[in-house]
Amino acid sequence: MSNYVGAIDQGTTSTRFIIFDHAGKIISQAQKEHRQIYPQPGWVEHDPLEILNNSNEVVGAALARANLSGSDLRAVGITNQRETTVLWDRHSAEPLAPAIVWMDTRTDQLMRRFLQKREHSWFREKTGLPLTTYFSALKLLWLLENVPGARRKAEQGDALFGNINTWLAWNLTGGKDGGLHITDVSNASRTLLMDLQRCSWDEELLAEFGIPAACLPQIVSSGEVYGEIRSAPLRGTVLAGMLGDQQAALVGQTCFAPGEAKNTYGTGCFLLMNTGMEAVHSKAGLLSTVAYRFGDEPTHYALEGSIAIAGALVQWLRDNLHFFDLAEQIEALARSVPDNGDVYLVPAFAGLYAPYWREDARGVIAGLTRFATKAHVARAALEATAYQVRDVVEAMELDSGIRLRALRSDGGMVVNELLMQFQADMLAVPVQRPRIVETTALGSAYAAGLATGLWQSTEDLRANWGVDHVWKPQMEESDRARLVHSWKKAVERSFAWVEGN
Ligand SMILES: Nc1ncnc2c1ncn2[C@@H]1O[C@H](COP(=O)(O)OP(=O)(O)O)[C@@H](O)[C@H]1O
Ligand SMILES: O=P(O)(O)OC[C@H](O)CO
């Protein structure tokens, strides 16, 4: 039997397909970006068909590069941008509308409607999540209320809801000719519709939101043989893993013991700490979420600090302000000045997520003087990610009572040395980058490989983890305190921009 496992990593910015071997080494990979669609302020959409086509394209390209076919893979896992909501017609396989992306805020009016009746705590107790625009429930409800005919189709089971994992899995396993309509526990825990303890759809929540059960996928584990892949180019292998991308990175970083944590710097930034078989309810503004459940093993939980805008701010400077042509050029620009020149940028483009959860916040640039240049703004943009992560770590330490000793990092931004050093300085603990930085894809490959016997247990996987680089804190405590103080002032300035909340 083959020792290769494939992972489809469908992220907010791009889709990758990576083939790994038993040691977690990359055998082949391909990647493609998809369009970000912004029809109105606050709206962010993706085209589900473009994502499906890109996924098939990168799979084909990576297989061809390694001269392999689907049947040369032992199994395939999917990992995905979470919460992003797709509703499609099961007979035509056509989406009823563009996918509503996780950071889209069009549902803020809907959110207020529900908050007039219920407190955040009611939703948190059941799901581990506050009621915000971030999670899938309100996005799905928006589609049911705004797309003509959608509610009727959903009630009759003719329209299917899914996050991107479900959409891809359904298409891979047969689509309109009998594709599996499934989601894994980690993705289901991000819908605001799943009971976090029982890991099943919660009838009270479905009734509260008016969501028909007939359109929901079946909740399955994160690693088991779900079924055969029936579409090209992966025909000949099985689908055996599914994990939300942030949970997949936790697995790829082998954070299997309570207290072990990772931080992924991508479009957004997501810090997850494994809390073992207990869902710890946060008092400091973090989320409680499912980390993973492999086959019949117990469900593992995590505390999560979600930051909506990290790498997306770099993209915004590139695409909207035309500061540079390539994301990586931000580093040279930011390094051309010795410090931030007292400029602070709070990227509250989608409100502020953890630990603030302020829907009414919007982006601000604070501290501007005639001295400030484009380079200071670029530096402030990079620093913003590190400050936001610091805020989340503070909350994580409060909730867990565990003092972080080092931060395992990964994601597209970890090639940025300036950011990584500044992060170590802001946290006053070392920041580590592992040898294999494609931890998200690796995590879902691990899920699929565990389900098909390539690895026997999670403990087996630890051997594949090793450090490539460590950034040690170098900043004086007094400098750190001064910078953090100004950042917190800037955060306050971003609040209550949107009125009527
Ligand atoms: N050298 C760099 N410095 C800072 N940010 C970068 C750099 N290279 C890429 N990025 C940012 O990283 C993000 C892409 O990371 P990735 O992990 O692929 O994202 P995702 O999984 O969300 O699609 C983009 O938002 C991009 O702006
Ligand atoms: O695709 P990423 O890496 O930006 O991750 C997005 C998150 O899953 C959103 O919750």
Side-chain angles (χ1 to χ4, degrees):
M1 211 179 190
S2 159
N3 278 353
Y4 294 154
V5 183
I8 299 172
D9 174 2
Q10 203 306 295
T12 312
T13 314
S14 71
T15 309
R16 297 172 173 83
F17 183 65
I18 307 187
I19 302 169
F20 295 95
D21 70 6
H22 183 261
K25 197 173 122 238
I26 293 177
I27 300 302
S28 180
Q29 61 179 318
Q31 178 175 6
K32 187 163 185 191
E33 286 204 13
H34 54 269
R35 278 175 309 140
Q36 306 294 321
I37 306 163
Y38 308 110
Q40 295 184 31
W43 290 36
V44 188
E45 298 179 344
H46 290 158
D47 175 357
L49 290 171
E50 181 186 4
I51 284 180
L52 179 62
N53 289 338
N54 285 4
S55 162
N56 287 332
E57 206 176 301
V58 293
V59 167
L63 285 171
R65 268 175 212 159
N67 206 12
L68 297 170
S69 66
S71 56
D72 294 317
L73 304 180
R74 189 181 191 107
V76 165
I78 297 175
T79 179
N80 56 292
Q81 52 167 322
R82 307 164 303 169
E83 300 96 13
T84 298
T85 298
V86 189
L87 189 65
W88 71 95
D89 186 307
R90 78 176 330 147
H91 307 292
S92 68
E94 290 286 331
L96 297 188
I100 305 181
V101 177
W102 55 273
M103 62 174 82
D104 185 296
T105 56
R106 78 183 64 178
T107 54
D108 56 356
Q109 297 292 343
L110 269 180
M111 180 191 79
R112 273 179 234 143
R113 197 167 95 196
F114 285 97
L115 286 175
Q116 278 169 359
K117 244 187 346 169
R118 303 270 191 194
E119 303 277 325
H120 281 296
S121 55
W122 188 77
F123 298 96
R124 262 193 187 277
E125 265 160 38
K126 283 176 175 293
T127 65
L129 313 171
L131 180 69
T132 78
T133 57
Y134 177 24
F135 307 109
S136 311
L138 295 178
K139 298 181 197 294
L140 174 54
L141 183 57
W142 191 94
L143 290 170
L144 295 176
E145 289 190 352
N146 291 279
V147 176
R151 177 168 288 284
R152 183 183 40 80
K153 283 189 176 176
E155 281 168 356
Q156 292 169 351
D158 292 329
L160 303 179
F161 153 75
N163 298 119
I164 297 285
N165 61 317
T166 300
W167 166 244
L168 293 179
W170 184 80
N171 278 287
L172 287 174
T173 57
K176 58 186 176 187
D177 300 320
L180 296 171
H181 188 217
I182 51 176
T183 191
D184 87 294
V185 268
S186 73
N187 273 292
S189 75
R190 315 296 297 188
T191 56
L192 251 181
L193 298 172
M194 191 190 87
D195 179 297
L196 194 61
Q197 300 300 334
R198 288 187 285 119
C199 293
S200 56
W201 301 125
D202 184 279
E203 281 179 15
E204 239 183 328
L205 282 167
L206 297 187
E208 178 76 12
F209 291 119
I211 290 186
C215 71
L216 299 180
Q218 181 195 346
I219 301 175
V220 294
S221 80
S222 320
E224 63 184 273
V225 179
Y226 310 118
E228 284 179 17
I229 298 186
R230 288 164 59 192
S231 69
L234 279 173
R235 196 179 294 121
T237 186
V238 290
L239 182 64
M242 265 195 290
L243 277 165
D245 57 5
Q246 302 309 324
Q247 286 90 339
L250 190 75
V251 170
Q253 291 265 28
T254 64
C255 296
F256 299 122
E260 289 183 326
K262 69 85 206 180
N263 191 28
T264 302
Y265 299 79
T267 308
C269 201
F270 301 87
L271 201 155
L272 272 76
M273 178 185 277
N274 193 322
T275 58
M277 288 175 264
E278 295 290 324
V280 174
H281 278 273
S282 175
K283 293 187 179 64
L286 302 177
L287 309 176
S288 308
T289 202
V290 170
Y292 49 83
R293 182 170 81 212
F294 294 130
D296 298 333
E297 287 176 23
T299 305
H300 282 68
Y301 293 89
L303 270 174
E304 170 173 324
S306 330
I307 295 163
I309 305 291
L313 182 56
V314 178
Q315 288 172 315
W316 180 76
L317 292 181
R318 182 193 64 188
D319 301 338
N320 296 38
L321 302 193
H322 306 289
F323 270 25
F324 34 76
D325 297 325
L326 303 169
E328 69 219 43
Q329 290 166 338
I330 192 173
E331 184 161 0
L333 180 60
R335 274 190 195 280
S336 68
V337 286
D339 55 36
N340 65 10
D342 216 16
V343 174
Y344 293 81
L345 204 172
V346 184
F349 295 175
L352 278 175
Y353 286 11
Y356 303 102
W357 299 109
R358 291 290 297 242
E359 306 282 338
D360 62 353
R362 284 299 177 268
V364 295
I365 304 181
L368 289 178
T369 60
R370 280 298 296 270
F371 175 73
T373 64
K374 185 172 153 177
H376 291 115
V377 175
R379 196 158 178 129
L382 283 181
E383 291 184 358
T385 291
Y387 290 127
Q388 293 187 94
V389 170
R390 193 191 169 284
D391 291 344
V392 160
V393 167
E394 215 170 49
M396 192 73 80
E397 292 185 341
L398 261 173
D399 267 342
S400 67
I402 297 171
R403 175 95 180 95
L404 195 75
R405 280 182 309 183
L407 184 68
R408 293 185 179 190
S409 62
D410 55 57
M413 294 181 91
V414 297
V415 291
N416 194 306
E417 303 259 344
L418 182 67
L419 169 62
M420 292 294 103
Q421 182 57 53
F422 191 72
Q423 186 69 85
D425 288 338
M426 281 306 106
L427 293 176
V429 299
V431 173
Q432 304 167 326
R433 184 173 67 198
R435 283 197 307 261
I436 308 165
V437 285
E438 294 290 355
T439 53
T440 301
L442 185 62
S444 78
Y446 281 165
L450 282 167
T452 52
L454 182 57
W455 296 284
Q456 300 313 312
S457 71
T458 50
E459 286 312 303
D460 271 8
L461 301 170
R462 287 191 184 274
N464 289 350
W465 192 86
V467 175
D468 161 61
H469 196 92
V470 180
W471 288 270
K472 297 202 175 107
Q474 292 171 351
M475 193 177 275
E476 295 290 332
E477 180 54 40
S478 55
D479 289 335
R480 179 167 37 248
R482 179 176 51 78
L483 292 168
V484 170
H485 176 74
S486 297
W487 162 255
K488 298 227 165 181
K489 267 201 303 188
V491 168
E492 297 263 327
R493 301 288 193 274
S494 76
F495 291 165
W497 183 260
V498 181
E499 292 177 354
N501 276 344

